[in-house]
Amino acid sequence: MLPLSCLDLSFVRSGHRPSEALHDTIRLARACDAAGYARYWLAEHHNLPSVASPAPEIMIGQIAAATARIRVGAGGVMLPNHPPLMVAERFRMLEGLFPGRIDLGLGRAPGTDGVTAFALRRHQESREGDDFLEKLQELLLWESGGFPEGHPFRRVVAMPSDVALPPIWLLGSSGYSARLAARIGVGFAFAHHFAQHDAHDAMLAYKAEFQPSPRLPAPYAILAVAAAAAETQEEAERLASSHDLHRLRRDRGEFGPLPSPEEATAYPYSDAERASIRRNRERFFVGEPDAVAAQLAAFARSTRADEVMVTSAIWDQEARRRSYEWLIAAMARQPAG
């Protein structure tokens, strides 16, 4: 069976306190663990009223402690926001506490607006332009202990020193991260759920250009998608209406909590807004479980994805849990290959 995983943004729901979203995340992680999902990843976002978790490494520890077998990771740490040594230390700690169950996904974006990004980074050494590559190179040196003689970091040890960094993944929504991941020999995860870039171009380029490394001998690509499954197409459409309105508002700079289906149904959509929703639906898989699973399996085959990671912005938490459970059961019914 094609492995399925979960990407959880800890969405704040309309009518609920933001801190409730953190507990919703832990409950869903337990359900995904029991259902057989391969991994559970948390994102990093700041100053967004719609997202409750700005610190995936804290949630990773909580979820790993609350589950038994599922891999838990960052999808991802926004590396420009953090000193690489701090990332190395925190993820070595997590790997030491939960050996063989931690993933370190890295992103280039700040995960927030410009002012908040400045507040996050203002005590770091100032540098003009995009410093992602520089920080990535430093993180890899912390991983390998490869600072040369005479380098000031040569004598600094990322603790715990007897634990390696967990597997590194590069996250992307364009071809840049795909080709970089291939060049340095790490896993790649493509964010189809919000990307404007063609998934086939990024995923196939990663597979074609991959260079084996001590970290990863063969390419491994995850395709992240948005999906909502329910017993009937009508019910799935009702659940998906929360995502539709939420995405519509995000696209015009409104970052409020995830609306309920009732709020979405009552919203007075203009013709232009309905057209925008139809365009966004091209990146959103909605329907009965077997139909959605068949679409995901076909998409995975065409992009040569090794795994599919599902994010579901469903307001009703019981319906969200059932969506994940039905989807993995339906995926098990798909023909092999």
Side-chain angles (χ1 to χ4, degrees):
M1 185 186 83
L2 180 71
L4 280 188
S5 293
C6 175
L7 172 63
D8 189 355
L9 274 63
S10 298
F11 279 116
V12 179
R13 294 181 290 148
S14 174
H16 293 262
R17 293 177 292 110
S19 58
E20 288 183 56
L22 305 177
H23 298 280
D24 291 339
T25 285
I26 293 172
R27 282 189 287 268
L28 181 62
R30 289 194 182 110
C32 288
D33 187 34
Y37 277 76
R39 59 187 98 229
Y40 199 99
W41 280 8
L42 296 310
E44 175 186 342
H45 293 284
H46 302 272
N47 192 33
L48 287 183
S50 58
V51 176
S53 174
E57 65 274 20
I58 293 178
M59 291 302 294
I60 289 168
Q62 294 295 314
I63 291 170
T67 54
R69 45 149 294 278
I70 196 167
R71 295 191 68 94
V72 191
V77 169
M78 299 296 103
L79 190 55
N81 296 339
H82 308 282
L85 174 59
M86 183 176 293
V87 175
E89 289 177 332
R90 290 176 177 176
F91 278 83
R92 280 191 173 186
M93 283 184 65
L94 288 166
E95 182 67 20
L97 289 167
F98 307 100
R101 292 185 58 204
I102 305 299
D103 293 322
L104 172 52
L106 301 171
R108 295 174 59 209
T112 189
D113 59 275
V115 173
T116 307
F118 175 77
L120 285 165
R121 306 175 192 179
R122 69 192 187 97
H123 292 300
Q124 297 186 43
E125 181 182 1
S126 62
R127 182 188 182 282
E128 293 297 323
D130 185 350
D131 62 354
F132 174 77
L133 266 181
E134 184 178 316
K135 288 195 168 186
L136 176 60
Q137 290 167 345
E138 184 180 322
L139 178 63
L140 296 178
L141 288 172
W142 287 117
E143 176 199 32
S144 65
F147 290 104
E149 283 290 345
H151 194 284
F153 294 166
R154 176 80 175 187
R155 295 179 180 274
V156 180
V157 178
M159 296 295 289
S161 59
D162 63 329
V163 177
L165 272 183
I168 292 176
W169 301 76
L170 291 192
L171 317 180
S173 56
S174 69
Y176 174 85
S177 292
R179 289 173 169 84
L180 178 58
R183 191 159 65 247
I184 64 175
V186 298
F188 174 62
F190 182 77
H192 174 264
H193 55 295
F194 67 80
Q196 300 296 323
H197 192 83
D198 178 58
H200 296 84
D201 175 76
M203 298 281 282
L204 297 179
Y206 167 73
K207 288 294 183 82
E209 299 175 22
F210 184 83
Q211 299 178 25
S213 74
R215 302 178 196 92
L216 192 66
Y220 196 96
I222 296 175
L223 180 65
V225 301
E231 285 187 291
T232 65
Q233 181 72 35
E234 181 182 18
E235 174 62 8
E237 294 287 346
R238 190 184 76 85
L239 297 176
S241 65
S242 294
H243 173 280
D244 291 337
L245 179 55
H246 184 67
R247 180 59 192 261
L248 184 68
R249 288 170 169 170
R250 281 181 63 99
D251 287 347
R252 62 188 186 213
E254 300 173 10
F255 297 96
L258 182 69
S260 69
E262 290 72 24
E263 291 174 79
T265 300
Y267 183 87
Y269 297 96
S270 68
D271 290 343
E273 288 171 332
R274 292 186 186 281
S276 178
I277 287 173
R278 284 194 296 272
R279 288 193 297 272
N280 286 330
R281 278 295 188 95
E282 295 174 2
R283 295 191 296 272
F284 191 16
F285 299 84
V286 179
E288 297 178 14
D290 285 307
V292 173
Q295 292 170 0
L296 293 181
F299 195 21
R301 285 193 296 271
S302 68
T303 58
R304 295 184 60 199
D306 299 290
E307 182 175 325
V308 170
M309 181 170 282
V310 177
T311 183
S312 294
I314 295 176
W315 187 89
D316 183 304
Q317 293 304 289
E318 184 67 18
R320 185 166 75 136
R321 178 186 62 78
R322 288 197 301 266
S323 177
Y324 277 101
E325 291 173 345
W326 285 335
L327 194 53
I328 195 168
M331 192 62 77
R333 296 191 288 268
Q334 289 298 305

Short mmCIF file of all heavy atoms in Angstrom, two decimals, residues 85-145:
data_model
loop_
_atom_site.label_atom_id
_atom_site.label_comp_id
_atom_site.label_asym_id
_atom_site.label_seq_id
_atom_site.Cartn_x
_atom_site.Cartn_y
_atom_site.Cartn_z
N LEU A 85 22.74 25.88 15.01
CA LEU A 85 23.14 25.11 16.19
C LEU A 85 21.92 24.78 17.05
O LEU A 85 21.79 23.67 17.57
CB LEU A 85 24.18 25.86 17.00
CG LEU A 85 24.57 25.23 18.35
CD1 LEU A 85 25.13 23.81 18.16
CD2 LEU A 85 25.58 26.10 19.08
N MET A 86 21.02 25.75 17.20
CA MET A 86 19.83 25.51 18.02
C MET A 86 18.97 24.41 17.40
O MET A 86 18.44 23.54 18.10
CB MET A 86 19.02 26.80 18.15
CG MET A 86 17.79 26.67 19.04
SD MET A 86 16.94 28.25 19.24
CE MET A 86 18.17 29.18 20.18
N VAL A 87 18.82 24.42 16.08
CA VAL A 87 18.06 23.37 15.40
C VAL A 87 18.72 22.02 15.62
O VAL A 87 18.06 21.02 15.94
CB VAL A 87 17.94 23.68 13.90
CG1 VAL A 87 17.24 22.53 13.16
CG2 VAL A 87 17.17 24.99 13.68
N ALA A 88 20.05 21.97 15.47
CA ALA A 88 20.78 20.71 15.66
C ALA A 88 20.60 20.18 17.08
O ALA A 88 20.35 18.99 17.29
CB ALA A 88 22.26 20.91 15.35
N GLU A 89 20.71 21.05 18.07
CA GLU A 89 20.57 20.61 19.46
C GLU A 89 19.16 20.10 19.75
O GLU A 89 18.99 19.03 20.37
CB GLU A 89 20.91 21.76 20.40
CG GLU A 89 22.37 22.12 20.43
CD GLU A 89 22.66 23.32 21.33
OE1 GLU A 89 21.77 24.17 21.50
OE2 GLU A 89 23.77 23.38 21.86
N ARG A 90 18.16 20.84 19.33
CA ARG A 90 16.79 20.45 19.65
C ARG A 90 16.41 19.14 18.99
O ARG A 90 15.74 18.28 19.60
CB ARG A 90 15.83 21.56 19.24
CG ARG A 90 15.95 22.79 20.13
CD ARG A 90 15.08 23.93 19.67
NE ARG A 90 15.18 25.07 20.59
CZ ARG A 90 14.59 26.24 20.41
NH1 ARG A 90 13.85 26.44 19.32
NH2 ARG A 90 14.73 27.21 21.28
N PHE A 91 16.84 18.94 17.76
CA PHE A 91 16.46 17.71 17.08
C PHE A 91 17.33 16.52 17.47
O PHE A 91 16.87 15.37 17.39
CB PHE A 91 16.39 17.94 15.57
CG PHE A 91 15.08 18.55 15.17
CD1 PHE A 91 14.88 19.92 15.26
CD2 PHE A 91 14.02 17.76 14.77
CE1 PHE A 91 13.65 20.49 14.94
CE2 PHE A 91 12.79 18.32 14.44
CZ PHE A 91 12.61 19.68 14.54
N ARG A 92 18.54 16.76 17.92
CA ARG A 92 19.29 15.67 18.53
C ARG A 92 18.64 15.24 19.85
O ARG A 92 18.59 14.05 20.17
CB ARG A 92 20.74 16.09 18.78
CG ARG A 92 21.62 16.01 17.55
CD ARG A 92 23.08 16.18 17.90
NE ARG A 92 23.93 15.96 16.75
CZ ARG A 92 25.27 15.92 16.80
NH1 ARG A 92 25.89 16.12 17.95
NH2 ARG A 92 25.97 15.71 15.70
N MET A 93 18.15 16.20 20.61
CA MET A 93 17.44 15.85 21.84
C MET A 93 16.21 15.01 21.54
O MET A 93 15.97 13.98 22.19
CB MET A 93 17.01 17.13 22.58
CG MET A 93 18.12 17.83 23.33
SD MET A 93 17.49 19.25 24.25
CE MET A 93 16.41 18.45 25.43
N LEU A 94 15.42 15.43 20.55
CA LEU A 94 14.22 14.67 20.20
C LEU A 94 14.59 13.27 19.72
O LEU A 94 13.94 12.28 20.08
CB LEU A 94 13.43 15.41 19.12
CG LEU A 94 12.70 16.68 19.58
CD1 LEU A 94 12.24 17.50 18.38
CD2 LEU A 94 11.52 16.33 20.48
N GLU A 95 15.63 13.16 18.91
CA GLU A 95 16.07 11.85 18.43
C GLU A 95 16.58 10.99 19.59
O GLU A 95 16.35 9.77 19.62
CB GLU A 95 17.16 12.01 17.37
CG GLU A 95 17.66 10.73 16.77
CD GLU A 95 16.62 9.99 15.93
OE1 GLU A 95 15.64 10.61 15.49
OE2 GLU A 95 16.81 8.77 15.72
N GLY A 96 17.24 11.61 20.56
CA GLY A 96 17.69 10.87 21.73
C GLY A 96 16.54 10.36 22.57
O GLY A 96 16.59 9.25 23.13
N LEU A 97 15.48 11.15 22.68
CA LEU A 97 14.32 10.75 23.47
C LEU A 97 13.45 9.73 22.75
O LEU A 97 12.87 8.84 23.38
CB LEU A 97 13.47 11.99 23.80
CG LEU A 97 14.08 12.97 24.81
CD1 LEU A 97 13.30 14.28 24.80
CD2 LEU A 97 14.08 12.36 26.21
N PHE A 98 13.35 9.85 21.41
CA PHE A 98 12.47 8.98 20.62
C PHE A 98 13.25 8.44 19.42
O PHE A 98 13.00 8.81 18.28
CB PHE A 98 11.23 9.76 20.16
CG PHE A 98 10.49 10.45 21.27
CD1 PHE A 98 10.66 11.81 21.49
CD2 PHE A 98 9.66 9.73 22.12
CE1 PHE A 98 10.00 12.45 22.52
CE2 PHE A 98 9.00 10.36 23.16
CZ PHE A 98 9.16 11.72 23.37
N PRO A 99 14.22 7.56 19.67
CA PRO A 99 15.11 7.11 18.60
C PRO A 99 14.37 6.44 17.45
O PRO A 99 13.47 5.62 17.66
CB PRO A 99 16.05 6.13 19.31
CG PRO A 99 15.39 5.78 20.60
CD PRO A 99 14.54 6.94 20.97
N GLY A 100 14.74 6.86 16.23
CA GLY A 100 14.16 6.26 15.04
C GLY A 100 12.76 6.73 14.69
O GLY A 100 12.15 6.19 13.77
N ARG A 101 12.26 7.77 15.40
CA ARG A 101 10.89 8.20 15.14
C ARG A 101 10.78 9.68 14.77
O ARG A 101 9.67 10.19 14.64
CB ARG A 101 10.02 7.94 16.39
CG ARG A 101 9.79 6.47 16.72
CD ARG A 101 8.83 6.33 17.88
NE ARG A 101 7.56 6.98 17.59
CZ ARG A 101 6.72 7.43 18.54
NH1 ARG A 101 7.03 7.33 19.82
NH2 ARG A 101 5.57 8.00 18.19
N ILE A 102 11.89 10.37 14.59
CA ILE A 102 11.86 11.82 14.39
C ILE A 102 12.31 12.17 12.98
O ILE A 102 13.24 11.57 12.44
CB ILE A 102 12.76 12.53 15.43
CG1 ILE A 102 12.37 12.14 16.85
CG2 ILE A 102 12.69 14.05 15.25
CD1 ILE A 102 10.94 12.50 17.25
N ASP A 103 11.67 13.17 12.37
CA ASP A 103 12.06 13.71 11.06
C ASP A 103 12.32 15.21 11.20
O ASP A 103 11.60 15.91 11.92
CB ASP A 103 10.94 13.52 10.03
CG ASP A 103 10.68 12.06 9.69
OD1 ASP A 103 11.66 11.29 9.62
OD2 ASP A 103 9.51 11.69 9.49
N LEU A 104 13.30 15.69 10.45
CA LEU A 104 13.62 17.12 10.44
C LEU A 104 13.39 17.68 9.05
O LEU A 104 14.24 17.54 8.16
CB LEU A 104 15.07 17.35 10.89
CG LEU A 104 15.62 18.78 10.76
CD1 LEU A 104 14.71 19.80 11.44
CD2 LEU A 104 17.03 18.86 11.33
N GLY A 105 12.21 18.26 8.83
CA GLY A 105 11.91 18.91 7.57
C GLY A 105 12.26 20.39 7.65
O GLY A 105 11.98 21.05 8.64
N LEU A 106 12.88 20.90 6.60
CA LEU A 106 13.37 22.28 6.58
C LEU A 106 12.74 23.07 5.44
O LEU A 106 12.62 22.58 4.32
CB LEU A 106 14.89 22.29 6.38
CG LEU A 106 15.73 21.56 7.43
CD1 LEU A 106 17.18 21.48 6.98
CD2 LEU A 106 15.63 22.25 8.79
N GLY A 107 12.33 24.31 5.76
CA GLY A 107 11.75 25.18 4.75
C GLY A 107 12.53 26.48 4.62
O GLY A 107 13.24 26.90 5.53
N ARG A 108 12.35 27.15 3.46
CA ARG A 108 13.06 28.40 3.18
C ARG A 108 12.27 29.62 3.58
O ARG A 108 12.84 30.68 3.82
CB ARG A 108 13.34 28.51 1.67
CG ARG A 108 14.29 27.47 1.12
CD ARG A 108 14.35 27.60 -0.40
NE ARG A 108 14.80 28.91 -0.82
CZ ARG A 108 14.45 29.49 -1.96
NH1 ARG A 108 13.60 28.89 -2.78
NH2 ARG A 108 14.93 30.67 -2.28
N ALA A 109 10.94 29.51 3.63
CA ALA A 109 10.09 30.68 3.88
C ALA A 109 10.11 31.03 5.37
O ALA A 109 10.41 30.19 6.21
CB ALA A 109 8.67 30.40 3.42
N PRO A 110 9.77 32.28 5.73
CA PRO A 110 9.73 32.65 7.14
C PRO A 110 8.50 32.12 7.87
O PRO A 110 8.49 32.05 9.09
CB PRO A 110 9.71 34.18 7.10
CG PRO A 110 9.08 34.52 5.79
CD PRO A 110 9.55 33.45 4.85
N GLY A 111 7.44 31.76 7.13
CA GLY A 111 6.22 31.30 7.78
C GLY A 111 5.44 32.41 8.45
O GLY A 111 4.64 32.16 9.35
N THR A 112 5.64 33.64 7.98
CA THR A 112 4.97 34.78 8.59
C THR A 112 5.17 36.02 7.73
O THR A 112 5.73 35.96 6.63
CB THR A 112 5.50 35.01 10.02
OG1 THR A 112 4.70 35.97 10.68
CG2 THR A 112 6.95 35.49 10.01
N ASP A 113 4.75 37.17 8.26
CA ASP A 113 4.92 38.46 7.56
C ASP A 113 6.31 39.04 7.86
O ASP A 113 7.04 38.55 8.72
CB ASP A 113 3.84 39.43 8.01
CG ASP A 113 3.89 39.68 9.51
OD1 ASP A 113 3.30 38.88 10.28
OD2 ASP A 113 4.55 40.65 9.93
N GLY A 114 6.64 40.12 7.14
CA GLY A 114 7.97 40.70 7.26
C GLY A 114 8.31 41.25 8.63
O GLY A 114 9.42 41.08 9.13
N VAL A 115 7.35 41.92 9.28
CA VAL A 115 7.61 42.49 10.60
C VAL A 115 7.85 41.39 11.63
O VAL A 115 8.78 41.46 12.45
CB VAL A 115 6.43 43.40 11.04
CG1 VAL A 115 6.62 43.87 12.47
CG2 VAL A 115 6.32 44.59 10.10
N THR A 116 7.03 40.35 11.60
CA THR A 116 7.21 39.25 12.53
C THR A 116 8.52 38.53 12.27
O THR A 116 9.22 38.12 13.21
CB THR A 116 6.03 38.26 12.44
OG1 THR A 116 4.80 38.98 12.59
CG2 THR A 116 6.13 37.20 13.52
N ALA A 117 8.88 38.37 11.00
CA ALA A 117 10.16 37.74 10.67
C ALA A 117 11.31 38.55 11.25
O ALA A 117 12.29 38.00 11.77
CB ALA A 117 10.30 37.60 9.16
N PHE A 118 11.22 39.87 11.16
CA PHE A 118 12.25 40.73 11.75
C PHE A 118 12.33 40.54 13.26
O PHE A 118 13.42 40.44 13.84
CB PHE A 118 11.97 42.20 11.42
CG PHE A 118 12.93 43.15 12.08
CD1 PHE A 118 14.21 43.33 11.58
CD2 PHE A 118 12.56 43.86 13.22
CE1 PHE A 118 15.10 44.21 12.20
CE2 PHE A 118 13.44 44.73 13.84
CZ PHE A 118 14.71 44.91 13.33
N ALA A 119 11.17 40.46 13.92
CA ALA A 119 11.15 40.26 15.37
C ALA A 119 11.78 38.92 15.74
O ALA A 119 12.46 38.81 16.77
CB ALA A 119 9.71 40.33 15.88
N LEU A 120 11.57 37.90 14.92
CA LEU A 120 12.14 36.59 15.20
C LEU A 120 13.66 36.57 15.05
O LEU A 120 14.35 35.85 15.76
CB LEU A 120 11.54 35.55 14.24
CG LEU A 120 10.11 35.11 14.50
CD1 LEU A 120 9.55 34.38 13.29
CD2 LEU A 120 10.05 34.20 15.72
N ARG A 121 14.17 37.38 14.12
CA ARG A 121 15.58 37.26 13.74
C ARG A 121 16.45 38.44 14.20
O ARG A 121 17.64 38.46 13.93
CB ARG A 121 15.69 37.17 12.22
CG ARG A 121 14.85 36.07 11.61
CD ARG A 121 14.92 36.13 10.10
NE ARG A 121 13.91 35.29 9.49
CZ ARG A 121 13.75 35.18 8.18
NH1 ARG A 121 14.51 35.86 7.35
NH2 ARG A 121 12.80 34.40 7.70
N ARG A 122 15.89 39.43 14.88
CA ARG A 122 16.63 40.68 15.07
C ARG A 122 17.86 40.55 15.95
O ARG A 122 18.74 41.40 15.92
CB ARG A 122 15.71 41.78 15.61
CG ARG A 122 15.22 41.61 17.02
CD ARG A 122 14.11 42.61 17.30
NE ARG A 122 13.70 42.61 18.69
CZ ARG A 122 14.14 43.46 19.59
NH1 ARG A 122 15.01 44.41 19.23
NH2 ARG A 122 13.72 43.41 20.83
N HIS A 123 17.96 39.48 16.74
CA HIS A 123 19.16 39.29 17.55
C HIS A 123 20.15 38.35 16.88
O HIS A 123 21.20 38.05 17.45
CB HIS A 123 18.79 38.77 18.94
CG HIS A 123 18.04 39.77 19.76
ND1 HIS A 123 18.55 41.00 20.11
CD2 HIS A 123 16.80 39.73 20.30
CE1 HIS A 123 17.67 41.67 20.83
NE2 HIS A 123 16.59 40.92 20.95
N GLN A 124 19.82 37.89 15.68
CA GLN A 124 20.78 37.11 14.92
C GLN A 124 21.68 38.06 14.13
O GLN A 124 21.35 39.22 13.91
CB GLN A 124 20.06 36.17 13.95
CG GLN A 124 19.18 35.11 14.64
CD GLN A 124 18.63 34.12 13.64
OE1 GLN A 124 19.33 33.67 12.76
NE2 GLN A 124 17.35 33.79 13.80
N GLU A 125 22.79 37.53 13.69
CA GLU A 125 23.72 38.33 12.88
C GLU A 125 23.01 38.79 11.61
O GLU A 125 22.41 37.98 10.89
CB GLU A 125 24.94 37.49 12.52
CG GLU A 125 25.97 38.24 11.69
CD GLU A 125 27.14 37.35 11.30
OE1 GLU A 125 27.13 36.16 11.68
OE2 GLU A 125 28.05 37.84 10.63
N SER A 126 23.03 40.09 11.35
CA SER A 126 22.33 40.62 10.19
C SER A 126 23.05 40.23 8.90
O SER A 126 24.26 40.18 8.83
CB SER A 126 22.22 42.14 10.28
OG SER A 126 23.50 42.72 10.28
N ARG A 127 22.26 39.92 7.88
CA ARG A 127 22.80 39.55 6.58
C ARG A 127 21.76 39.89 5.53
O ARG A 127 20.59 39.59 5.70
CB ARG A 127 23.12 38.06 6.54
CG ARG A 127 23.73 37.57 5.23
CD ARG A 127 23.83 36.05 5.24
NE ARG A 127 24.44 35.54 4.05
CZ ARG A 127 23.82 35.41 2.88
NH1 ARG A 127 22.57 35.81 2.77
NH2 ARG A 127 24.43 34.90 1.83
N GLU A 128 22.17 40.50 4.46
CA GLU A 128 21.26 40.88 3.40
C GLU A 128 20.90 39.66 2.55
O GLU A 128 21.72 38.77 2.33
CB GLU A 128 21.89 41.95 2.50
CG GLU A 128 22.10 43.30 3.19
CD GLU A 128 20.79 43.94 3.62
OE1 GLU A 128 19.80 43.81 2.88
OE2 GLU A 128 20.76 44.55 4.69
N GLY A 129 19.66 39.62 2.10
CA GLY A 129 19.25 38.58 1.16
C GLY A 129 18.87 37.27 1.82
O GLY A 129 18.75 37.15 3.04
N ASP A 130 18.71 36.25 0.98
CA ASP A 130 18.28 34.92 1.40
C ASP A 130 19.48 34.16 1.97
O ASP A 130 20.45 33.89 1.25
CB ASP A 130 17.70 34.20 0.18
CG ASP A 130 17.11 32.84 0.54
OD1 ASP A 130 17.31 32.37 1.68
OD2 ASP A 130 16.46 32.24 -0.34
N ASP A 131 19.42 33.81 3.25
CA ASP A 131 20.54 33.10 3.87
C ASP A 131 20.24 31.62 4.10
O ASP A 131 20.93 30.95 4.88
CB ASP A 131 20.95 33.76 5.19
CG ASP A 131 19.83 33.75 6.23
OD1 ASP A 131 18.71 33.34 5.88
OD2 ASP A 131 20.09 34.16 7.37
N PHE A 132 19.23 31.09 3.41
CA PHE A 132 18.85 29.70 3.64
C PHE A 132 20.00 28.75 3.33
O PHE A 132 20.30 27.84 4.12
CB PHE A 132 17.62 29.34 2.80
CG PHE A 132 17.26 27.88 2.87
CD1 PHE A 132 16.60 27.36 3.97
CD2 PHE A 132 17.58 27.00 1.83
CE1 PHE A 132 16.27 26.02 4.05
CE2 PHE A 132 17.25 25.66 1.90
CZ PHE A 132 16.60 25.16 3.01
N LEU A 133 20.63 28.92 2.17
CA LEU A 133 21.71 28.00 1.79
C LEU A 133 22.85 28.03 2.80
O LEU A 133 23.40 26.99 3.17
CB LEU A 133 22.23 28.36 0.40
CG LEU A 133 21.63 27.61 -0.78
CD1 LEU A 133 22.29 28.06 -2.07
CD2 LEU A 133 21.79 26.10 -0.61
N GLU A 134 23.20 29.23 3.25
CA GLU A 134 24.28 29.37 4.23
C GLU A 134 23.93 28.64 5.53
O GLU A 134 24.76 27.92 6.11
CB GLU A 134 24.54 30.85 4.50
CG GLU A 134 25.69 31.14 5.42
CD GLU A 134 25.90 32.63 5.60
OE1 GLU A 134 25.84 33.35 4.59
OE2 GLU A 134 26.10 33.06 6.75
N LYS A 135 22.69 28.80 5.98
CA LYS A 135 22.28 28.13 7.22
C LYS A 135 22.17 26.62 7.03
O LYS A 135 22.49 25.85 7.95
CB LYS A 135 20.96 28.72 7.71
CG LYS A 135 21.11 30.13 8.29
CD LYS A 135 19.89 30.54 9.08
CE LYS A 135 20.17 31.81 9.88
NZ LYS A 135 19.06 32.17 10.78
N LEU A 136 21.71 26.19 5.86
CA LEU A 136 21.64 24.77 5.59
C LEU A 136 23.04 24.15 5.62
O LEU A 136 23.25 23.08 6.20
CB LEU A 136 20.98 24.53 4.24
CG LEU A 136 20.91 23.07 3.78
CD1 LEU A 136 20.13 22.20 4.76
CD2 LEU A 136 20.30 22.98 2.38
N GLN A 137 23.99 24.81 4.99
CA GLN A 137 25.36 24.30 5.00
C GLN A 137 25.91 24.20 6.42
O GLN A 137 26.58 23.22 6.78
CB GLN A 137 26.25 25.20 4.13
CG GLN A 137 25.96 25.09 2.64
CD GLN A 137 26.61 26.18 1.83
OE1 GLN A 137 27.06 27.20 2.36
NE2 GLN A 137 26.66 26.00 0.52
N GLU A 138 25.61 25.21 7.23
CA GLU A 138 26.08 25.16 8.62
C GLU A 138 25.42 24.02 9.38
O GLU A 138 26.08 23.31 10.15
CB GLU A 138 25.80 26.49 9.32
CG GLU A 138 26.36 26.54 10.74
CD GLU A 138 26.09 27.85 11.44
OE1 GLU A 138 26.17 28.91 10.78
OE2 GLU A 138 25.80 27.80 12.66
N LEU A 139 24.12 23.83 9.19
CA LEU A 139 23.42 22.74 9.86
C LEU A 139 24.03 21.39 9.47
O LEU A 139 24.22 20.51 10.34
CB LEU A 139 21.94 22.77 9.52
CG LEU A 139 21.08 21.65 10.13
CD1 LEU A 139 21.08 21.75 11.66
CD2 LEU A 139 19.66 21.71 9.60
N LEU A 140 24.35 21.21 8.20
CA LEU A 140 24.95 19.96 7.76
C LEU A 140 26.33 19.76 8.39
O LEU A 140 26.74 18.62 8.67
CB LEU A 140 25.04 19.92 6.23
CG LEU A 140 23.70 19.93 5.49
CD1 LEU A 140 23.92 19.94 3.99
CD2 LEU A 140 22.84 18.74 5.90
N LEU A 141 27.04 20.84 8.63
CA LEU A 141 28.34 20.73 9.31
C LEU A 141 28.17 20.38 10.78
O LEU A 141 28.97 19.63 11.34
CB LEU A 141 29.13 22.03 9.15
CG LEU A 141 29.69 22.30 7.75
CD1 LEU A 141 30.27 23.71 7.66
CD2 LEU A 141 30.76 21.26 7.41
N TRP A 142 27.11 20.90 11.42
CA TRP A 142 26.82 20.47 12.79
C TRP A 142 26.47 18.99 12.81
O TRP A 142 26.80 18.27 13.76
CB TRP A 142 25.67 21.29 13.38
CG TRP A 142 26.01 22.71 13.72
CD1 TRP A 142 25.47 23.83 13.18
CD2 TRP A 142 26.97 23.16 14.69
NE1 TRP A 142 26.03 24.95 13.74
CE2 TRP A 142 26.96 24.57 14.67
CE3 TRP A 142 27.85 22.50 15.56
CZ2 TRP A 142 27.78 25.34 15.49
CZ3 TRP A 142 28.68 23.27 16.37
CH2 TRP A 142 28.64 24.67 16.33
N GLU A 143 25.81 18.53 11.75
CA GLU A 143 25.46 17.11 11.67
C GLU A 143 26.70 16.24 11.56
O GLU A 143 26.83 15.21 12.24
CB GLU A 143 24.55 16.86 10.46
CG GLU A 143 24.21 15.39 10.24
CD GLU A 143 23.71 15.10 8.84
OE1 GLU A 143 24.16 15.77 7.90
OE2 GLU A 143 22.90 14.18 8.71
N SER A 144 27.64 16.66 10.72
CA SER A 144 28.80 15.82 10.43
C SER A 144 30.01 16.10 11.31
O SER A 144 30.95 15.31 11.34
CB SER A 144 29.22 16.03 8.96
OG SER A 144 29.67 17.37 8.76
N GLY A 145 29.98 17.23 12.04
CA GLY A 145 31.17 17.63 12.79
C GLY A 145 32.31 18.02 11.86
O GLY A 145 33.48 17.82 12.19
#
